[in-house]
C-alpha cells in the first residue's frame, strides 16, 4: 500500500502541511455551541407560548384535542405538549438558558479551583504537592454524581441553586486540576525553565512568565469539556428529581414533592420520566437537546485540543498575520515594545477575564432569577390618599407601606350617637371619613375632632371610597351611591335599582369612575353621577366580596370573573373551582388565588389569556380544613400573605416567603353572628405584619373583641393582641403610620396606637 | 510499583471503614439538618457517640443483622444488600466485558497498521457515543420497545422486557444502555494509543528485522498499549457505578445503584418493583446508606487495585522498571 505523503511530511518536518486536514471537530463543535449560546440568549424571545401556559383542551372547528398533544397535530404546538398542555417547543426554548448558565458557572468554578490546585501540584515538589496530588487522585476516583447527590440531598432545601453549584464543583475540579498538573510538570522539566532559574528568576516570575503563558491556551478546551461534563451530571440529577427552578413542598416529616417552576432541561427530563409512555415527545426532545449540547461541547473541546497540538497547526501565515506583522514593523521602537507587551498579555488576560466574567455574571443571573427584587411595588393610591377604600387602594391589595403599631394600646378616638356602619377611609390630608347608622357621613381630623357632618339620603353600607379628586363616594343600603365633596357638600345621589343592596365596598379608578356591586348587578358610575353601564352578574362567593381594578384599568376582577371596565362585559371566567378569587399583587400583576397557588393571569397579544402558575405552596401543610381563599397578596419584598376564611370555623392567616415556604401561621377562634363570621381582616403593612380584628365571645349585649398583628416571623407570628373595650364590635379598619383605626358598631372609632416614649 | 501495590492492598480495609464511617456521619447529620429545616418537627438533637454507634452498626452488619427494610419490603436490609451486590456486579461484569470487547475491536480495527493513521469512520462514532448519556439511551430503548409493541397487532407483547430483574433477556437493555459510553471511550483511546505506538522507532526496527505486521501489531504494540487500556477499563467501571443509579432506576434493576438512588433521591411516592411505595422512608436511611457507601468503596478500591496488578502483569515496561522483565540487562 502506498504510504501517506502527509505522514511523511509530519515525520520529516515535525508538523502537518497547511491545509492537510480540516478541524471538523472544532468547526462542528463551535457551530453547535454557538447555536446553544444563541438559544440561551434569545430562546425565550422566540417561544410561541409561555412555558407554564397550560392548555388542557384545544378546540378546533371539528372538535377538540385533549392534552398531551402529539407533535405536528395541533397548530401552534409543533413539538406537541406535555400532559398539562404546555408547549414543548416553548419549554425547550426557555430551558436552555438556566441549564447552560448553571453548567457554565459550575465549569468556570471547577476550572478556577482546578487551575490553582493543578498548578500547585505540578510546580511544587514537596510534601504539600504530594498531598495535592493525592487529593486530585481521590477526587477523580469518586463519580461526580455521587458527590452531587450527597450535597444536594443534605443541603437541597435551604441552599437551592447553590447546592447544585457546590455539588457539581466539590470534586468536579479534579479533572481540570489533573490536566493543569500534567502540563505544569511538563513545562517544569524544560530546558528554558532551568536556564531562567540559572539567571536568577524566582518561582513567581517563572510561573507568571512561562507556566501560565503555556497553560492559558488550554483554558478554552478545559472549559468546553467541563461544560459538557457538568451538563451530563446536572441532567442526570434532574432525571433523578433534583433540578433548579423547582418548588420544594414538604408533605410530611420527610416526604416532599417538587412542583415544577420555569423549565430547565433536567426538570423536563424528571417531569416527563413519570409519564414516559404518555408524553414521549417531552422526554425525546429534552434528551436529544441534552445529547446535542454534550456533543457540541465535547467536539469543541476536542477540536481545541487538536488545534493546540503543534503538529496539527498550519504554519502558513494567514493574510491577517502578514498584515498584522507589517503594521507592527512599521511602528517606531517605543510603540513596538508596548504593542508586543500587550500582545503577550492578551492571551493570558482574555481567558482569565472570560472565566471570571462567566462565573460572576452567570452567578449573578442565576441568583437574580431565583430571588425576587428586594422591594418593589407597582401600586399607587390614586389621589395619594392614606387609605382610599375598604381594601386600601383600587387594586384591593390591602397593603400599605407605612408601619402600623408595634405595641399598641387602645383609646376611643371619636364617639358617635349611633353605631358606625362602614369601614373608615383616610384622605391624603389625614381626614378620616366614616359612615354611621344615623344616615350621616362624618369627617374627622387625625385627633378625632369633627370637621363636618354630611347628611345622606339613606343609611350608608359597606365601604366608602375616596376618588382622586378627594370626593367621597358612599354606598347606600338601598343600592344607590352618594357623592360628598371634600368640603362636606352633597354633590349628587344615584338611586339604586329596586330591591338591590350593596354587597361590597366601592372602588374608584384614576378617571374617577366608580365601580359598585349590589346583590345582582355590577355597575360603573361616572364622576358626574350618571350610570355608564350596569350588568347582571352572580355575586355569591365563598370568599370576601370586593372588586379590584387591574393595573392597566382595562378590567376589574370580581370573585373569579374578569370584567371589562369599558362596557362591563365578561372577559374571562374561571370555571374550575368556585372558591377561587382574583387578586392583584403589589407587583401589579393579576393572580387567581386558588387553594394552593397564585396563578398569574396573562393576556396574550394575539388575543385570549392564560393562567400560569406563579407561586405555589402546600395546602396540606397549611392545614386549611374547610377554609377557602379569602384575601391574598404579595408584599413588595415578595412575601405572600394569605387569609383563609370559612363558614364553619375561624379564619387562618399565613405568611409565606417568595418561594412559598411557610413563615408563620395562626388560626383565630372568632365567633359567628347570624351565620356570618365576625372577623375583620384589615391588611398588611411595610414591617411585615398582617392585622385583623374579630369577635372573641358574645354574650347578650356584651361583645368581647380583640385585634391582632401577625408578623412574618417563624412560628405563630403573633406580635401582639389587644382587647377592645367590652361591647366593641369591629366593622372595619385602616392601617396608618404607627396606628390602626377600627370602626365599631358600638358607635366608637377606636385608635390602636403606639404610646410615645 | 510493588510497594504501591502492597500499600494499595493494605489501604483497602482502611479506606472501606473510613468511607463507611463518613457515610454514617453524613446520614446522621443530614437527617439532623432536615429536622432543623422542618418547622413542624420537634427540636432535633445533635447526633452523639458517632464512633460507638458506627461500631455497633458494623458489628450488626458482620452478623448479618441490619434490621428490616423500610416499609414496602418484607425482607431485611442485609438480604436486600446481598441481592443488590449480586445484581450490580453481574450487570457491571457483563457491561465491562462487552464494552471492552466491542471497544477494543472497534478501536484496533480503526488503526491502519502500516502508517498508524486512524480511519475516519471512528471519529463520528466515538464522538456520538461519548456524548450519549446512558439514561438517555435507556429511555430511547424503552421508547423504541413501546413503539414497536404499539405497531404490532393487538395482543402484542414486548419482545424485550423494559424492566425487572433476571439473568436472561432482562439484562439486555440495561447492559446495552450502559455499554455505549465506555465502548466509545475505549475505542477512542485504544485507537489513539495504538496509532501512537505504531509510529515509534521500535516498530520500524521490528519491521526492519522482518517481523510481520501481524506479530508487530498483536504482540509488540499490543502489550505496550494494554496498560492505558486497563486503566481506562477500570476508570469506566468506576464511572459505570455512578451511571448505574440512573439505569437501574429506569429498568427497575434491583442493584446497588437502585438502592443508592432511593436513599438520596427526593422523597416521593414511587413505583418500586411493581408496587407503589412511600420511598420517603428510604431517604437517608442510616444502615442502608452506610452499608451502600461501604460496599461501593470496596468495589472502587478493588477495581483500582486489580487494575494496578493487571498493569504490572501485562506491561513489559512496568515489569522492566521493577526489575522483573525478561529483557533486563
Amino acid at each position: 500500500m502506498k504510504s501517506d505523503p502527509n505522514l511523511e511530511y509530519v515525520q520529516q518536518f515535525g508538523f502537518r502541511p497547511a491545509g492537510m486536514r480540516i478541524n471538523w471537530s472544532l468547526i462542528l463543535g463551535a457551530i453547535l455551541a454557538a447555536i446553544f449560546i444563541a438559544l440561551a440568549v434569545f430562546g425565550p424571545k422566540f417561544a410561541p407560548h409561555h412555558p407554564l401556559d397550560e392548555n388542557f383542551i384545544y378546540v378546533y372547528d371539528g372538535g377538540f384535542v385533549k392534552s398531551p398533544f402529539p407533535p405536528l397535530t395541533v397548530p401552534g404546538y409543533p413539538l406537541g405538549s406535555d400532559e398539562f398542555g404546555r408547549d414543548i417547543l416553548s419549554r425547550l426554548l426557555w430551558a436552555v438558558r438556566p441549564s447552560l448558565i448553571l453548567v457554565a458557572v459550575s465549569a468556570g468554578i471547577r476550572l478556577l479551583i482546578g487551575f490553582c490546585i493543578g498548578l500547585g501540584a505540578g510546580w511544587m515538589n514537596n510534601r504539600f504537592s504530594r498531598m495535592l496530588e493525592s487529593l486530585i487522585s481521590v477526587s477523580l476516583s469518586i463519580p461526580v454524581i455521587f458527590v452531587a447527590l450527597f450535597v444536594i440531598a443534605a443541603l437541597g432545601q435551604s441552599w437551592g441553586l447553590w447546592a447544585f453549584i457546590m455539588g457539581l464543583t466539590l470534586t468536579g475540579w479534579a479533572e481540570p486540576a489533573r490536566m493543569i498538573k500534567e502540563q505544569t510538570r511538563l513545562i517544569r522539566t524544560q530546558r528554558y525553565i532551568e536556564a531562567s532559574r540559572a539567571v536568577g528568576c524566582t518561582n513567581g516570575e517563572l510561573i507568571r512568565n512561562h507556566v501560565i503563558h503555556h497553560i492559558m491556551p488550554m483554558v478554552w478546551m478545559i472549559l468546553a469539556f467541563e461544560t459538557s461534563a457538568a451538563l451530563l451530571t446536572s441532567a442526570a440529577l434532574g432525571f433523578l428529581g433534583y433540578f433548579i427552578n423547582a418548588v420544594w413542598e414538604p408533605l410530611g416529616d420527610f416526604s416532599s414533592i417538587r412542583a415544577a417552576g420555569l423549565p430547565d432541561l433536567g426538570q423536563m427530563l424528571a417531569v416527563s420520566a413519570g409519564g414516559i409512555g404518555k408524553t414521549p415527545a417531552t422526554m425525546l426532545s429534552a434528551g436529544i437537546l441534552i445529547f446535542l449540547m454534550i456533543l457540541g461541547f465535547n467536539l469543541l473541546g476536542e477540536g481545541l485540543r487538536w488545534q493546540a497540538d503543534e503538529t496539527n497547526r498550519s504554519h502558513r501565515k494567514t493574510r491577517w498575520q502578514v498584515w498584522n506583522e507589517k503594521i507592527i514593523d512599521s511602528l517606531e521602537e517605543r510603540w513596538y515594545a508596548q504593542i508586543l507587551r500587550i500582545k503577550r498579555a492578551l492571551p493570558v488576560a482574555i481567558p482569565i477575564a472570560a472565566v471570571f466574567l462567566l462565573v460572576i455574571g452567570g452567578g449573578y443571573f442565576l441568583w437574580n432569577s431565583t430571588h425576587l427584587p428586594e422591594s418593589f411595588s407597582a401600586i399607587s393610591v390614586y389621589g395619594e390618599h392614606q387609605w382610599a377604600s375598604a381594601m386600601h387602594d383600587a387594586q384591593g391589595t390591602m397593603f400599605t407601606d407605612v408601619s402600623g403599631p408595634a405595641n399598641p394600646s387602645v383609646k376611643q378616638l371619636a364617639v358617635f350617637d349611633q353605631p358606625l356602619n362602614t369601614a373608615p377611609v383616610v384622605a391624603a390630608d389625614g381626614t378620616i371619613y366614616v359612615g354611621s347608622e344615623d344616615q350621616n357621613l362624618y369627617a374627622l381630623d387625625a385627633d378625632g375632632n369633627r370637621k363636618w357632618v354630611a347628611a345622606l339620603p339613606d343609611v350608608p353600607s359597606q365601604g366608602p371610597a375616596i376618588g382622586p379628586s378627594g370626593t367621597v363616594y358612599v354606598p347606600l343600603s338601598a343600592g344607590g351611591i352618594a357623592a360628598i365633596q371634600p368640603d362636606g357638600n352633597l354633590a349628587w345621589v344615584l338611586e339604586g335599582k329596586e330591591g338591590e343592596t350593596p354587597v361590597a365596598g366601592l372602588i374608584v379608578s384614576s378617571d374617577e369612575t366608580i365601580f359598585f356591586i349590589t346583590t345582582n348587578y355590577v355597575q360603573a358610575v361616572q364622576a358626574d353621577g350618571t350610570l355608564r353601564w350596569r350588568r347582571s352578574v352572580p355575586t355569591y362567593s365563598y370568599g370576601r366580596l370586593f372588586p379590584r381594578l387591574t393595573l392597566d384599568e382595562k378590567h376589574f376582577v370580581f370573585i373569579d370573573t374578569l370584567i371589562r371596565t369599558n362596557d362591563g362585559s365578561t372577559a374571562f371566567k374561571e370555571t374550575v373551582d368556585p372558591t377561587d378569587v382574583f387578586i392583584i399583587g403589589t407587583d401589579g400583576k393579576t393572580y387567581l388565588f386558588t387553594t394552593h397557588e397564585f396563578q398569574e393571569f396573562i393576556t396574550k397579544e394575539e388575543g385570549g389569556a392564560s393562567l400560569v402558575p406563579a407561586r405555589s405552596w402546600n395546602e396540606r401543610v397549611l392545614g386549611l380544613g374547610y377554609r377557602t381563599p379569602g384575601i391574598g397578596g404579595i408584599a413588595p419584598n415578595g412575601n405572600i400573605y394569605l387569609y383563609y376564611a370559612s363558614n364553619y370555623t375561624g379564619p387562618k392567616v399565613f405568611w409565606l416567603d417568595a418561594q412559598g415556604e411557610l413563615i408563620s401561621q395562626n388560626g383565630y377562634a372568632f365567633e359567628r353572628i347570624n351565620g356570618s363570621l365576625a372577623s375583620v381582616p384589615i391588611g398588611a403593612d411595610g414591617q411585615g405584619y398582617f392585622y385583623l380584628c374579630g369577635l372573641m365571645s358574645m354574650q347578650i349585649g356584651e361583645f368581647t373583641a380583640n385585634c391582632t398583628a401577625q408578623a412574618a416571623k417563624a412560628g405563630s407570628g403573633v406580635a401582639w393582641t389587644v382587647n377592645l373595650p367590652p361591647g366593641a364590635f369591629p366593622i372595619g379598619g385602616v392601617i396608618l403610620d404607627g396606628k390602626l383605626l377600627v370602626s365599631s358598631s358600638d358607635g366608637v372609632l377606636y385608635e390602636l396606637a403606639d404610646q410615645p416614649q | 510499583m510493588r510497594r504501591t501495590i502492597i500499600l494499595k492492598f493494605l489501604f483497602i480495609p482502611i479506606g472501606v471503614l473510613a468511607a463507611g464511617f463518613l457515610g454514617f456521619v453524613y446520614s446522621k447529620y443530614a437527617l439532623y439538618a432536615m429536622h432543623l429545616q422542618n418547622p413542624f418537627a420537634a427540636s432535633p438533637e445533635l447526633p452523639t457517640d458517632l464512633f460507638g454507634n458506627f461500631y455497633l452498626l458494623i458489628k450488626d452488619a458482620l452478623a448479618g443483622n441490619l434490621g428490616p427494610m423500610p416499609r414496602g419490603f418484607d425482607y431485611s436490609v442485609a438480604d436486600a444488600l446481598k441481592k443488590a451486590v449480586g445484581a450490580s456486579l453481574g450487570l457491571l461484569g457483563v457491561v465491562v466485558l462487552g464494552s471492552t470487547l466491542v471497544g477494543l475491536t472497534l478501536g484496533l480495527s480503526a488503526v491502519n497498521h502500516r502508517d498508524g493513521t486512524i480511519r475516519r469512520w471512528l471519529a463520528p462514532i466515538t464522538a456520538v457515543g461519548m456524548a450519549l448519556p446512558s439514561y438517555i439511551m435507556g429511555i430511547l430503548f424503552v421508547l423504541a420497545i413501546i413503539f414497536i409493541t404499539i405497531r404490532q397487532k393487538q395482543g402484542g407483547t414486548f419482545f424485550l422486557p423494559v424492566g425487572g430483574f433476571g439473568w436472561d433477556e432482562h439484562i439486555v437493555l440495561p447492559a446495552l444502555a450502559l455499554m455505549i459510553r465506555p465502548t466509545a471511550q475505549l475505542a477512542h483511546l485504544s485507537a489513539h494509543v495504538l496509532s501512537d505506538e505504531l509510529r515509534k522507532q521500535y516498530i520500524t526496527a521490528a519491521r526492519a528485522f522482518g517481523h510481520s505486521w501481524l506479530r508487530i501489531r498483536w504482540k509488540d504494540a499490543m502489550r505496550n498499549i494494554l496498560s492505558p487500556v486497563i486503566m481506562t477499563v477500570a476508570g469506566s467501571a468506576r464511572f459505570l457505578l455512578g451511571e448505574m443509579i440512573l439505569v437501574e432506576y429506569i429498568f427497575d434493576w434491583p442493584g446497588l445503584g437502585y438502592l443508592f438512588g432511593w436513599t438520596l433521591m427526593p422523597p416521593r411516592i414511587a413505583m418500586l418493583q411493581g408496587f407503589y411505595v412511600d420511598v420517603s422512608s428510604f431517604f437517608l436511611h442510616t444502615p442502608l446508606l452506610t452499608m451502600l457507601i461501604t460496599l461501593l468503596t470496596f468495589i472502587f478500591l478493588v477495581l483500582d487495585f486489580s487494575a494496578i496488578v493487571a498493569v504490572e502483569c501485562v506491561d513489559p515496561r512496568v515489569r522492566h522498571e521493577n526489575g522483573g522483565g525478561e529483557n533486563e540487562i
Side-chain angles (χ1 to χ4, degrees):
Chain A
M1 192 182 280
K2 198 180 166 187
S3 64
D4 184 354
N6 287 333
L7 188 67
E8 286 173 11
Y9 190 96
V10 172
Q11 282 166 349
Q12 189 178 348
F13 298 104
F15 56 86
R16 289 179 169 85
M20 178 183 128
R21 279 176 69 186
I22 298 169
N23 191 348
W24 285 112
S25 297
L26 185 65
I27 295 168
L28 284 175
I31 291 171
L32 281 173
I35 289 171
F36 289 118
I37 290 167
L39 275 182
V41 176
F42 303 111
K45 281 194 195 315
F46 295 116
H49 301 269
H50 191 281
L52 297 178
D53 192 353
E54 294 174 357
N55 189 0
F56 289 92
I57 295 175
Y58 180 82
V59 182
Y60 59 95
D61 290 343
F64 64 90
V65 184
K66 273 173 69 182
S67 61
F69 311 141
L72 303 170
T73 51
V74 172
Y77 294 81
L79 293 180
S81 79
D82 63 10
E83 56 189 312
F84 303 107
R86 299 177 298 193
D87 178 33
I88 292 174
L89 176 66
S90 303
R91 288 177 70 73
L92 283 176
L93 289 170
W94 275 77
V96 174
R97 185 186 287 178
S99 302
L100 195 58
I101 291 176
L102 173 72
V103 296
V105 169
S106 305
I109 296 172
R110 283 173 167 200
L111 179 59
L112 286 175
I113 300 172
F115 189 89
C116 298
I117 294 178
L119 196 65
W123 184 254
M124 289 184 285
N125 189 17
N126 53 22
R127 189 173 287 179
F128 183 63
S129 70
R130 283 192 289 280
M131 206 177 77
L132 289 180
E133 258 187 87
S134 305
L135 191 65
I136 294 171
S137 304
V138 170
S139 301
L140 272 176
S141 66
I142 308 169
V144 179
I145 189 158
F146 280 10
V147 179
L149 270 174
F150 275 122
V151 172
I152 297 167
L155 303 177
Q157 288 185 59
S158 53
W159 287 55
L161 178 73
W162 307 111
F164 276 83
I165 292 179
M166 195 187 273
L168 290 172
T169 52
L170 201 63
T171 56
W173 53 265
E175 187 58 30
R178 185 188 64 79
M179 290 190 204
I180 302 278
K181 181 196 80 179
E182 284 172 4
Q183 190 68 16
T184 308
R185 194 156 285 177
L186 194 73
I187 296 163
R188 200 183 65 184
T189 56
Q190 298 295 310
R191 289 261 173 91
Y192 59 84
I193 295 288
E194 198 183 335
S196 303
R197 212 186 277 279
V199 296
C201 280
T202 60
N203 270 337
E205 285 168 337
L206 287 173
I207 290 173
R208 200 170 55 244
N209 295 327
H210 296 291
V211 181
I212 289 182
H213 266 278
H214 281 90
I215 289 174
M216 274 305 154
M218 291 173 68
V219 162
W220 303 111
M221 176 193 81
I222 297 174
L223 198 61
F225 279 131
E226 287 310 303
T227 304
S228 154
L231 184 64
L232 186 75
T233 311
S234 71
L237 287 171
F239 185 75
L240 289 174
Y242 285 118
F243 42 83
I244 53 172
N245 284 336
V247 183
W248 179 270
E249 294 183 354
L251 298 175
D253 281 352
F254 297 109
S255 178
S256 306
I257 56 164
R258 276 179 171 261
L262 282 174
D264 64 78
L265 292 172
Q267 183 213 95
M268 287 184 74
L269 280 181
V271 173
S272 56
I276 188 170
K278 271 200 289 184
T279 55
T282 312
M283 179 61 87
L284 266 178
S285 51
I288 289 169
L289 197 64
I290 289 167
F291 158 67
L292 287 176
M293 284 171 81
I294 296 171
L295 179 68
F297 285 103
N298 268 352
L299 285 174
L300 184 63
E302 199 59 51
L304 288 168
R305 177 160 35 202
W306 196 87
Q307 195 72 10
D309 187 346
E310 195 65 22
T311 59
N312 294 325
R313 276 196 208 160
S314 166
H315 287 249
R316 188 187 292 165
K317 283 176 184 166
T318 61
R319 204 172 288 175
W320 158 253
Q321 282 169 324
V322 173
W323 183 69
N324 194 18
E325 280 177 11
K326 273 184 187 170
I327 289 180
I328 289 174
D329 289 346
S330 66
L331 293 169
E332 289 176 22
E333 195 175 330
R334 189 164 64 94
W335 293 106
Y336 179 78
Q338 284 183 357
I339 287 176
L340 268 189
R341 202 171 298 139
I342 293 169
K343 273 190 79 178
R344 194 168 156 70
L346 277 182
V348 175
I350 290 175
I352 291 174
V355 172
F356 272 101
L357 197 70
L358 184 72
V359 171
I360 295 167
Y364 176 74
F365 171 83
L366 290 172
W367 179 84
N368 205 29
S369 62
T370 51
H371 287 78
L372 293 168
E374 277 300 304
S375 191
F376 168 75
S377 176
I379 305 294
S380 58
V381 182
Y382 309 135
E384 297 183 357
H385 301 303
Q386 295 184 39
W387 199 277
S389 65
M391 294 179 81
H392 179 257
D393 44 57
Q395 283 71 35
T397 61
M398 294 183 81
F399 181 88
T400 174
D401 53 6
V402 302
S403 295
N407 183 23
S409 54
V410 185
K411 79 167 187 183
Q412 294 181 343
L413 188 69
V415 181
F416 304 89
D417 298 335
Q418 294 284 320
L420 294 177
N421 240 19
T422 71
V425 286
V426 183
D429 63 356
T431 305
I432 303 160
Y433 300 103
V434 64
S436 164
E437 189 81 28
D438 60 8
Q439 298 191 21
N440 285 326
L441 179 77
Y442 292 90
L444 314 170
D445 65 16
D447 297 324
N449 303 314
R450 283 184 198 179
K451 291 172 86 172
W452 47 255
V453 180
L456 301 170
D458 198 354
V459 177
S461 175
Q462 303 292 339
I466 313 174
S469 64
T471 304
V472 186
Y473 303 96
V474 187
L476 304 171
S477 54
I481 300 174
I484 314 291
Q485 289 170 347
D487 58 5
N489 293 321
L490 184 69
W492 48 259
V493 175
L494 177 73
E495 294 292 328
K497 202 169 166 63
E498 198 177 334
E500 292 290 304
T501 53
V503 295
L506 303 176
I507 54 169
V508 186
S509 70
S510 60
D511 66 353
E512 206 92 11
T513 304
I514 305 123
F515 296 95
F516 180 39
I517 295 166
T518 56
T519 322
N520 295 298
Y521 294 96
V522 54
Q523 44 231 314
V525 180
Q526 292 175 174
D528 60 1
T530 54
L531 187 69
R532 184 186 285 181
W533 49 255
R534 178 182 280 149
R535 293 274 183 276
S536 171
V537 290
T539 56
Y540 177 78
S541 169
Y542 289 92
R544 194 176 187 212
L545 290 168
F546 194 80
R548 295 169 169 94
L549 200 61
T550 59
L551 200 63
D552 60 6
E553 299 195 357
K554 288 181 180 168
H555 302 97
F556 75 88
V557 295
F558 179 64
I559 314 177
D560 58 353
T561 309
L562 212 84
I563 295 163
R564 293 188 185 89
T565 49
N566 60 349
D567 60 1
S569 59
T570 300
F572 184 87
K573 171 136 180 71
E574 207 274 329
T575 55
V576 178
D577 191 331
T579 64
D580 298 347
V581 288
F582 275 112
I583 60 139
I584 317 281
T586 57
D587 53 8
K589 294 175 179 171
T590 305
Y591 298 98
L592 185 72
F593 176 14
T594 70
T595 50
H596 68 286
E597 65 184 356
F598 285 160
Q599 297 171 359
E600 188 185 345
F601 180 84
I602 297 174
T603 314
K604 296 178 181 174
E605 281 178 16
E606 69 272 18
S610 60
L611 287 167
V612 174
R615 309 284 176 89
S616 303
W617 53 89
N618 188 349
E619 61 180 288
R620 283 201 266 172
V621 167
L622 303 190
L624 294 175
Y626 292 103
R627 296 176 185 89
T628 55
I631 291 159
I634 297 176
N637 64 358
N639 281 352
I640 299 165
Y641 46 94
L642 305 171
Y643 171 94
Y644 283 86
S646 170
N647 283 336
Y648 312 102
T649 181
K652 260 190 163 183
V653 175
F654 304 93
W655 276 102
L656 312 176
D657 67 15
Q659 278 72 41
E661 300 282 353
L662 183 66
I663 301 174
S664 74
Q665 64 159 336
N666 200 41
Y668 296 88
F670 293 141
E671 286 284 351
R672 320 179 54 73
I673 293 211
N674 299 332
S676 297
L677 194 73
S679 163
V680 178
I682 298 172
D685 73 355
Q687 64 180 336
Y689 283 8
F690 189 93
Y691 302 92
L692 74 164
C693 299
L695 201 64
M696 295 306 294
S697 72
M698 182 181 61
Q699 293 169 0
I700 298 167
E702 190 76 354
F703 302 124
T704 308
N706 67 19
C707 293
T708 301
Q710 184 178 323
K713 287 178 186 163
S716 73
V718 173
W720 52 259
T721 301
V722 171
N723 287 326
L724 296 179
F729 188 129
I731 301 293
V734 300
I735 307 165
L736 302 176
D737 194 12
K739 61 186 173 186
L740 293 185
L741 298 180
V742 179
S743 59
S744 165
S745 67
D746 63 352
V748 180
L749 182 67
Y750 291 101
E751 181 185 84
L752 284 69
D754 288 331
Q755 293 306 304
Q757 295 294 314
Chain B
M1 189 69 183
R2 280 185 191 152
R3 190 166 164 266
T4 312
I5 291 173
I6 292 165
L7 281 176
K8 289 246 175 195
F9 182 73
L10 291 175
F11 179 71
I12 291 176
I14 300 166
V16 165
L17 273 178
F21 181 67
L22 282 178
F24 180 79
V25 172
Y26 168 81
S27 69
K28 289 285 182 192
Y29 273 94
L31 277 173
Y32 171 73
M34 279 198 65
H35 274 290
L36 277 184
Q37 290 163 16
N38 188 343
F40 307 106
S43 298
E45 287 179 9
L46 264 172
T48 51
D49 193 17
L50 291 168
F51 283 107
N53 287 326
F54 179 65
Y55 171 72
L56 288 177
L57 182 71
I58 293 296
K59 222 168 115 181
D60 286 344
L62 291 173
N65 177 26
L66 286 167
M69 279 285 275
R71 59 192 160 182
F73 290 89
D74 55 359
Y75 45 84
S76 68
V77 171
D79 289 340
L81 286 170
K82 268 184 221 162
K83 195 177 170 190
V85 169
S88 279
L89 287 183
L91 181 61
L92 189 68
V94 169
V95 173
V96 169
L97 193 69
S99 61
T100 307
L101 285 175
V102 180
L104 270 181
T105 309
L106 274 176
L108 299 183
S109 57
V111 180
N112 190 342
H113 62 261
R114 290 184 190 279
D115 56 13
T117 53
I118 299 168
R119 294 194 171 93
R120 289 184 174 216
W121 53 260
L122 188 72
I125 290 176
T126 55
V128 169
M130 283 195 282
L132 262 177
S134 58
Y135 54 93
I136 289 182
M137 278 313 298
I139 290 160
L140 288 177
F141 285 145
V142 172
L143 283 176
I145 299 285
I146 292 172
F147 180 74
I148 293 167
T149 309
I150 290 170
R151 298 267 302 196
Q152 286 174 349
K153 286 179 183 171
Q154 211 171 16
T157 52
F158 290 156
F159 72 91
L160 272 176
V162 292
F165 173 72
W167 299 115
D168 43 19
E169 67 266 35
H170 284 84
I171 201 172
V172 175
L173 292 182
L176 280 177
L178 282 167
M179 265 176 66
I180 304 285
R181 246 173 92 87
T183 303
Q185 208 174 0
L186 201 59
H188 181 81
L189 177 111
S190 57
H192 279 85
V193 290
L194 182 63
S195 162
D196 288 346
E197 205 65 26
L198 288 178
R199 291 175 190 178
K200 286 189 175 163
Q201 298 270 334
Y202 78 91
I203 299 290
T204 316
R207 190 68 186 138
F209 279 118
H211 292 305
S212 68
W213 274 117
L214 203 67
R215 181 199 149 95
I216 291 168
R217 185 189 176 100
W218 291 108
K219 193 169 177 200
D220 302 329
M222 195 61 194
R223 282 199 306 178
N224 287 316
I225 69 159
L226 272 180
S227 169
V229 165
I230 289 169
M231 293 313 282
T232 306
V233 170
S236 296
R238 277 204 301 264
F239 176 80
L240 281 169
L241 283 169
E243 294 274 288
M244 278 163 94
I245 295 178
L246 300 139
V247 172
E248 288 182 356
Y249 167 68
I250 294 170
F251 292 104
D252 210 12
W253 186 268
L256 291 172
Y258 183 82
L259 286 179
F260 194 78
W262 286 123
T263 55
L264 291 176
M265 275 161 70
R268 54 189 164 188
I269 307 294
M271 175 76 96
L272 253 95
Q273 295 177 9
F275 299 98
Y276 277 105
V277 177
D278 176 7
V279 291
S280 55
S281 44
F282 278 75
F283 192 57
L284 298 174
H285 188 272
T286 303
L288 198 55
L289 189 58
T290 308
M291 293 321 295
L292 281 169
I293 291 170
T294 309
L295 285 168
L296 285 169
T297 311
F298 179 72
I299 296 170
F300 275 17
L301 292 175
V302 167
L303 279 171
D304 194 34
F305 177 74
S306 313
I308 290 175
V309 172
V311 167
E312 161 79 13
C313 293
V314 300
D315 194 325
R317 289 168 301 189
V318 176
R319 281 209 308 275
H320 174 75
E321 276 173 23
N322 292 332
E326 58 197 21
N327 299 325
E328 192 181 354
I329 298 167

